[in-house]
Amino acid sequence: MYKVILADDNPIICKALENRIPWDELGLELSGVCHDGSDVPDLIKNHAPHIMITDIKMPILDGIALIEQLRSHGYPLQIIIISGYNDFIYLKKAIDYDVAGYLLKPIQDEELMNSLQKAIGNLKEQEIVSQISRSARILELRESKRNASGLLSSIIRGTESCVQSGEDLAELSFPSSYQWLLFQLPLQEERRLCEFTIEDIVEYEDVLRHRYRQACHLLLPSDTMLAVIAPSSEQFTSVTDLVSQLLQKDGIRSSHTTSKPFRSLTGMQQELMETIAGLYGQLYPSRFTAAPAGHAPFLTLKDQQVIGMHLSLHDYKGALAYVTEKLDQCLAAAPTPGQLDTFIKNVFNWYSDYDPAYYGMQEQMDAALLAGLAFSSRQDMLDALAPMTEPAADSGSKAMNVIHYIENHLNQPLTLNMLSKIFHHNSIYLGQLIKKETGMPFNQLVNKLRVERAEEMLRRNPDVKLADLAYQLGFSDSKYFSKVFKKITGRPPSQSVESEI
């Protein structure tokens, strides 16, 4: 529906227009009426109309002066003038201001309808042009993000191309002091790294810029890290909160840290590496160095043989104890993040040689630019090496116990990490049990059970408010609840009861 406002100092004319225009038939809605041109700016601010019908002569601020003021402020209104003056000067000014119609009193219905149809047509053309422009802009942004993320990946790897690709981030131009904000995107259920795309980044950045008016650039330099570049200011922490909220709405858990400001590409590289080292130090209590330290490999061929011997005998406890000892020796030596990543990748590669349950994990660790960030802590990484295979007779009953718990606590926040503490099992192992028993990942199962419960509650009480229903089922907000409901059932919650009738 397009919104329309009427501005005429004669209340009788306004009432006549209100009665003569077939609002619903034209897809229009009358949003406001005023009898003084000086009241129009407030009317526009409060109702954001698409079309204005205004008299050319009004007290205090007449129609022409009003239109001039609106055009100078860039309001994209479609304007229809009504006038008692068949004057060339007025008509010329109306043409100059690109009005959709100039109607002489007494107003003829046919002329009024033609002008409204023209205004509606102009609005639709504007929407098409705007959509095309937005699509083109999104394509440009996607390419820009890919190039920038590639540059950041090169900086992290320390390759020569990062020096030659400085122009990829030329759009930032570093006019003032900027700062890094790094978000860790940890491992999800089924040992998958968090799914996060360039399209997501474009959408989130658009929200931050337009809804929150925060100037920042979101990049994805690796599958386990989201980088935000924002101006240094006292409000910088608020950007952290906003990005966290955006991620949480899509079910992405995250942790973050910040670095010192930078003003150049060289400064960016230095601060980025120091920030990553600081983040690793928080997750694996240790001192990390940003620059290569020239250490000998922390795992040798002998270590591989010892770990392999334990695994070949299904002595997972012995293997884990040995890995823990070597990991602590590595952390005590103040390694670089890259050295810890190599350690992690080697361990999971060796485990996968003896147990197929580690294949998926090993493949993702090999592909990860920052393997250490796939885990939320040192203990989380060691927990992932706990035995993944259990007797078949026990696995089904364990899975059902977890599922029963989920069914009885759908109104509470549910995560694999939380359940792992309740049932005293590794979160990755629990995710495997649930997938084996139900055929679906943990998050998908929880959403399915919640939607089924929602359908049941809607049948019992069709008048329940969606916001209340979403809250009772543990959803963060009704919009996200509706999105999940429609994705699973193929219809919005509002149609669920209707389909049952």
Side-chain angles (χ1 to χ4, degrees):
M1 298 285 283
Y2 293 119
K3 298 179 181 179
V4 182
I5 60 172
L6 304 178
D8 195 300
D9 61 337
N10 189 334
I12 296 176
I13 292 179
C14 288
K15 193 65 178 178
L17 288 171
E18 186 176 345
N19 293 330
R20 290 165 64 182
I21 296 175
W23 301 99
D24 291 338
E25 180 181 331
L26 294 175
L28 301 176
E29 171 190 343
L30 180 60
S31 295
V33 178
C34 67
H35 306 302
D36 189 328
S38 62
D39 294 331
V40 170
D42 287 336
L43 206 60
I44 292 175
K45 182 179 180 181
N46 294 332
H47 297 283
H50 303 91
I51 301 172
M52 178 178 70
I53 303 175
T54 179
D55 190 2
I56 205 166
K57 282 289 185 180
M58 288 185 291
I60 303 179
L61 185 66
D62 67 25
I64 291 296
L66 171 63
I67 295 170
E68 182 179 6
Q69 185 181 106
L70 294 176
R71 290 299 190 232
S72 66
H73 285 84
Y75 288 110
L77 273 174
Q78 290 296 308
I79 299 173
I80 297 173
I81 291 177
I82 52 178
S83 173
Y85 304 90
N86 189 4
D87 189 300
F88 176 75
I89 295 178
Y90 283 134
L91 182 59
K92 183 179 183 302
K93 286 187 176 181
I95 294 173
D96 290 341
Y97 290 125
D98 192 27
V99 301
Y102 187 94
L103 308 179
L104 293 175
K105 299 175 182 177
I107 302 170
Q108 303 298 314
D109 284 348
E110 183 178 356
E111 292 179 347
L112 176 60
M113 291 304 105
N114 288 339
S115 295
L116 287 170
Q117 292 285 10
K118 180 181 178 181
I120 292 170
N122 290 342
L123 288 169
K124 290 181 178 179
E125 288 181 6
Q126 288 175 4
E127 289 173 355
I128 293 173
V129 172
S130 177
Q131 183 61 40
I132 292 173
S133 298
R134 175 172 171 75
S135 298
R137 178 60 179 154
I138 288 177
L139 289 175
E140 292 177 4
L141 283 172
R142 286 175 182 168
E143 186 61 27
S144 171
K145 297 303 179 189
R146 290 189 184 97
N147 291 337
S149 293
L151 170 62
L152 296 187
S153 296
S154 297
I155 290 175
I156 293 171
R157 292 190 179 98
T159 59
E160 292 298 325
S161 60
C162 70
V163 179
Q164 302 169 359
S165 304
E167 65 274 8
D168 290 337
L169 279 178
E171 64 177 28
L172 298 181
S173 70
F174 310 120
S176 60
S177 184
Y178 274 71
Q179 190 167 21
W180 283 111
L181 179 66
L182 298 184
F183 282 83
Q184 176 199 357
L185 307 176
L187 205 66
Q188 304 296 293
E189 74 274 3
E190 292 188 288
R191 301 167 304 181
R192 290 186 296 104
L193 296 179
C194 189
E195 294 180 5
F196 205 59
T197 66
I198 295 295
E199 287 70 20
D200 294 326
I201 292 173
V202 172
E203 179 182 348
Y204 295 158
E205 189 173 80
D206 187 64
V207 171
L208 287 170
R209 283 182 172 175
H210 294 89
R211 183 183 302 174
Y212 301 109
R213 302 189 184 282
Q214 294 284 358
C216 58
H217 304 266
L218 277 64
L219 308 164
L220 189 66
S222 80
D223 288 334
T224 57
M225 186 176 74
L226 173 69
V228 181
I229 300 175
S232 300
S233 70
E234 294 179 359
Q235 297 180 344
F236 189 73
T237 304
S238 67
V239 179
T240 306
D241 296 336
L242 292 174
V243 175
S244 295
Q245 291 172 19
L246 289 173
L247 296 177
Q248 288 172 5
K249 284 188 176 181
D250 279 350
I252 301 173
R253 295 174 294 108
S254 64
S255 61
H256 61 267
T257 185
T258 58
S259 76
K260 290 177 280 187
F262 63 87
R263 295 179 62 91
S264 65
L265 185 63
T266 302
M268 178 201 303
Q269 181 172 11
Q270 178 181 350
E271 294 305 330
L272 174 63
M273 297 313 298
E274 289 183 4
T275 301
I276 292 174
L279 179 58
Y280 271 64
Q282 292 180 35
L283 302 180
Y284 305 84
S286 174
R287 183 175 67 85
F288 281 77
T289 55
H295 287 301
F298 288 105
L299 290 174
T300 64
L301 178 60
K302 178 183 176 182
D303 296 323
Q304 180 181 4
Q305 293 171 343
V306 173
I307 293 173
M309 178 188 68
H310 285 290
L311 294 174
S312 64
L313 298 173
H314 301 287
D315 178 18
Y316 287 94
K317 289 184 179 179
L320 182 58
Y322 190 86
V323 170
T324 301
E325 179 184 353
K326 301 300 294 185
L327 174 63
D328 288 341
Q329 290 176 6
C330 171
L331 296 177
T336 65
Q339 288 169 329
L340 177 61
D341 289 339
T342 300
F343 181 101
I344 292 173
K345 290 177 180 180
N346 281 339
V347 168
F348 280 97
N349 185 48
W350 297 342
Y351 266 62
S352 69
D353 288 339
Y354 292 89
D355 192 334
Y358 292 90
Y359 284 165
M361 177 75 83
Q362 175 259 321
E363 290 176 354
Q364 295 190 65
M365 290 301 101
D366 282 347
L369 183 60
L370 297 167
L373 290 186
F375 306 99
S376 59
S377 66
R378 166 188 172 277
Q379 189 57 48
D380 191 26
M381 194 276 283
L382 292 173
D383 287 345
L385 296 173
M388 289 192 174
T389 55
E390 293 283 345
D394 295 337
S395 61
S397 59
K398 288 180 180 178
M400 289 310 301
N401 289 337
V402 177
I403 294 170
H404 287 322
Y405 181 90
I406 294 172
E407 290 174 335
N408 293 325
H409 297 81
L410 290 175
N411 62 325
Q412 300 177 9
L414 294 169
T415 66
L416 277 175
N417 281 341
M418 180 196 76
L419 293 175
S420 67
K421 294 176 182 178
I422 294 174
F423 290 93
H424 305 291
H425 285 294
N426 174 262
S427 61
I428 296 173
Y429 169 66
L430 278 183
Q432 285 186 318
L433 286 185
I434 292 171
K435 177 66 181 295
K436 182 178 179 181
E437 185 68 23
T438 67
M440 62 186 72
F442 170 74
N443 284 344
Q444 186 177 336
L445 172 67
V446 172
N447 284 338
K448 178 177 180 292
L449 292 174
R450 282 174 169 164
V451 167
E452 289 176 351
R453 184 70 56 81
E455 289 183 304
E456 179 183 343
M457 294 171 73
L458 282 169
R459 283 193 294 268
R460 293 179 179 178
N461 183 10
D463 298 325
V464 65
K465 293 182 179 179
L466 289 185
D468 294 338
L469 186 60
Y471 176 78
Q472 292 178 42
L473 291 171
F475 285 95
S476 56
D477 57 58
S478 57
K479 184 178 179 181
Y480 179 64
F481 162 64
S482 297
K483 178 181 177 181
V484 172
F485 191 101
K486 185 174 182 180
K487 182 177 180 180
I488 293 177
T489 67
R491 61 183 185 277
S494 58
Q495 296 179 6
S496 179
V497 178
E498 298 174 9
S499 64
E500 297 292 331
I501 298 176

